[in-house]
């Protein structure tokens, strides 16, 4: 009976790799309906800094990879899920809060708070500060989104986050989101899979839920 249920895709395990720290809030919107619909499917989420996302997917350690920066290698394919703007967030009392957008040189005297990811993979550096030859005054790494937002709200620094995440906390924490540059920086969250691999029904349903949870 167990083998039959696994074969029909109603029982099994879905292992998700995350290369997007703030996407946990988005993922929570999917997890509830998914687990209710598939009570016999276990769910496991693994964070990027604990493993190599692409290597884990190719090595069958995970079944799907959530990433804003897809690495296109042989054997993998990516499905775009939703687009968002990457913005600089600060407290309402911050001296930059009255601007409509920020320039790289505006960050030269700032403490930039990020997740524990190598700077070369952080858009605030790779796409904004570094190309302009600007170095920030201080770089602080914090693992938890809630603590990161509290640090920003208390005026301890600024951070680059998805606009939807900032707007969800804007009123309660007194935050201000500003575009990075006049044109802004826009990103896409993707789901990565192994190519030419049959997907159980629960994985196909997870993809459908992910595509429907636009923020």
């Amino acid at each position: 009976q167990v083998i039959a249920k696994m074969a029909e895709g109603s029982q099994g395990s879905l292992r998700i790799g995350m290369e997007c720290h703030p996407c946990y809030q988005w993922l929570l919107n999917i997890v509830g309906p998914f687990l209710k619909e598939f009570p016999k499917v276990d769910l496991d989420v693994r964070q990027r800094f604990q493993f190599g996302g692409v290597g884990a997917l190719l090595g069958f350690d995970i079944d799907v990879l959530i990433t804003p920066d897809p690495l296109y290698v042989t054997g993998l394919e990516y499905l775009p899920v939703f687009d968002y703007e990457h913005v600089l967030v600060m407290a309402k009392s911050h001296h930059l809060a009255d601007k409509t957008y920020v320039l790289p040189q505006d960050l030269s005297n700032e403490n930039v708070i990020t997740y524990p990811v190598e700077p070369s993979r952080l858009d605030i550096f790779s796409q904004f500060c570094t190309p302009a030859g600007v170095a920030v005054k201080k770089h602080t790494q914090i693992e938890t989104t809630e603590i990161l937002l509290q640090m920003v709200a208390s005026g301890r620094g600024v951070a680059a986050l998805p606009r939807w995440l900032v707007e969800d906390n804007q009123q309660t924490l007194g935050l201000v989101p500003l575009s990075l540059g006049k044109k802004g920086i826009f990103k896409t969250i993707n789901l990565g899979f192994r190519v030419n691999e049959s997907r159980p029904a629960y994985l196909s349903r997870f993809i459908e839920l992910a595509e429907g949870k636009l923020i």
Side-chain angles (χ1 to χ4, degrees):
Q1 289 177 349
V2 171
I3 293 175
K5 288 185 179 296
M6 293 179 68
E8 69 183 19
S10 62
Q11 182 172 330
S13 177
L14 178 58
R15 301 162 301 169
I16 302 172
M18 296 287 290
E19 287 192 334
C20 175
H21 288 72
C23 290
Y24 278 105
Q25 302 300 320
W26 165 81
L27 182 61
L28 289 176
N29 294 326
I30 303 171
V31 167
F34 177 83
L35 291 177
K36 185 176 293 185
E37 189 170 339
F38 294 94
K40 293 186 178 297
V41 174
D42 294 326
L43 195 66
D44 183 23
V45 180
R46 304 179 185 183
Q47 297 171 314
R48 195 209 69 80
F49 55 86
Q50 294 176 335
F51 73 103
V54 169
L57 193 55
L58 289 172
F60 294 84
D61 292 320
I62 58 175
D63 304 301
V64 57
L65 177 65
I66 300 176
T67 178
D69 301 298
L71 182 60
Y72 292 93
V73 299
T74 302
L76 297 185
E77 61 180 345
Y78 294 91
L79 173 68
V81 177
F82 67 88
D83 301 322
Y84 66 93
E85 183 184 5
H86 207 54
V87 298
L88 191 74
V89 56
M90 63 201 68
K92 283 184 178 180
S93 58
H94 196 278
H95 68 94
L96 295 174
D98 291 332
K99 297 171 69 74
T100 54
Y101 61 88
V102 293
L103 298 173
Q105 52 266 34
D106 291 327
L107 303 184
S108 61
N109 200 37
E110 299 294 332
N111 174 29
V112 176
I113 305 174
T114 74
Y115 295 106
V117 177
E118 55 269 28
S120 62
R121 293 202 54 162
L122 292 168
D123 297 311
I124 187 66
F125 296 125
S126 64
Q127 293 194 42
F128 196 63
C129 291
T130 302
V134 172
V136 301
K137 181 179 181 180
K138 185 179 180 182
H139 178 201
T140 302
Q141 295 185 328
I142 295 178
E143 183 175 316
T144 309
T145 298
E146 291 76 12
I147 300 300
L148 189 155
L149 289 172
Q150 290 287 347
M151 288 283 285
V152 170
S154 66
R156 307 292 183 88
V158 298
L161 294 168
R163 182 178 286 277
W164 56 262
L165 179 60
V166 178
E167 291 178 344
D168 282 349
N169 297 273
Q170 188 170 353
Q171 298 301 320
T172 56
L173 295 178
L175 302 174
V176 174
L178 298 179
S179 294
L180 290 164
K182 190 173 183 178
K183 296 182 178 180
I185 293 179
F186 294 87
K187 304 279 292 181
T188 300
I189 292 298
N190 300 270
L191 302 184
F193 310 95
R194 291 178 290 272
V195 299
N196 301 324
E197 183 176 86
S198 59
R199 297 171 184 166
Y202 58 79
L203 179 53
S204 297
R205 180 57 178 155
F206 177 84
I207 296 171
E208 292 177 356
L209 289 170
E211 290 180 304
K213 291 295 179 181
L214 304 182
I215 295 181

